[in-house]
Amino acid sequence: MPVQFELVSPERLIVSAEVDMVVVPGTEGNFGVLPGHSPLISTIRPGTIDIYQGGAVAERIFVVSGIAEVTPERCTVLADEAMTPSDLSRTEAERELQTIESNLPSLRDHLARAQGTERERLATELRHLERQQSVARAKLQILAETSR
């Protein structure tokens, strides 16, 4: 008995299929969904959704973030951004990560010395930059895994 899987981005329905299993990158760790899974709602971290057919990964899709809802019969992922690993660029991800990591020390230093509303603004900016860093690292990880 398969699980109905749907992956939706703001732009379109990306996948709607009956699958043997799907593995989702939840913020608390990856979780697999098989028929009869307990109800669950989870936020998603940057990583890949692995779609299984016939006991093997049939398709991988990179997601930046979103929410997954699981019932015993279905798994629905509402992704903020989703793309196939072939749509990712190693050069672009490496450049992005290098830029982010070169800006982090200065931002952390400014945050340590700031006060009041300036400190709040810098803390928000730091969280945003750290989020971008985790996305760039996840992109590089999936590119390394798919190039083997």
Side-chain angles (χ1 to χ4, degrees):
M1 175 160 90
V3 169
Q4 180 64 36
F5 173 64
E6 290 191 344
L7 173 60
V8 182
S9 74
E11 296 83 28
R12 65 187 173 94
L13 174 65
I14 297 168
V15 176
S16 179
E18 289 188 342
V19 302
D20 292 340
M21 180 174 76
V22 63
V23 177
V24 179
T27 51
E28 300 296 320
N30 291 357
F31 59 91
V33 179
L34 292 164
H37 196 287
S38 297
L40 167 77
I41 294 179
S42 175
T43 53
I44 298 172
R45 66 176 161 70
T48 58
I49 294 176
D50 295 335
I51 301 168
Y52 285 78
Q53 293 287 18
V57 176
E59 188 175 1
R60 299 185 92 188
I61 301 172
F62 181 82
V63 291
V64 173
S65 62
I67 296 173
E69 178 185 26
V70 178
T71 68
E73 303 83 31
R74 75 181 315 113
C75 175
T76 303
V77 173
L78 306 175
D80 295 329
E81 268 184 81
M83 62 206 72
T84 63
S86 63
D87 290 338
L88 298 174
S89 163
R90 178 180 304 282
T91 304
E92 189 178 307
E94 286 173 344
R95 189 175 327 129
E96 184 180 348
L97 184 60
Q98 183 179 15
T99 300
I100 291 165
E101 290 182 342
S102 68
N103 289 329
L104 279 172
S106 173
L107 182 57
R108 287 182 177 128
D109 184 52
H110 283 83
L111 177 62
R113 291 183 276 122
Q115 295 179 4
T117 58
E118 178 67 5
R119 180 173 179 78
E120 291 173 24
R121 185 189 68 75
L122 290 171
T124 300
E125 189 176 331
L126 178 62
R127 283 191 302 277
H128 178 71
L129 205 56
E130 288 172 338
R131 175 85 175 130
Q132 288 178 316
Q133 179 186 37
S134 71
V135 170
R137 285 182 176 166
K139 286 178 180 178
L140 290 170
Q141 180 179 349
I142 186 59
L143 287 165
E145 291 172 7
T146 56
S147 68
R148 293 181 193 158

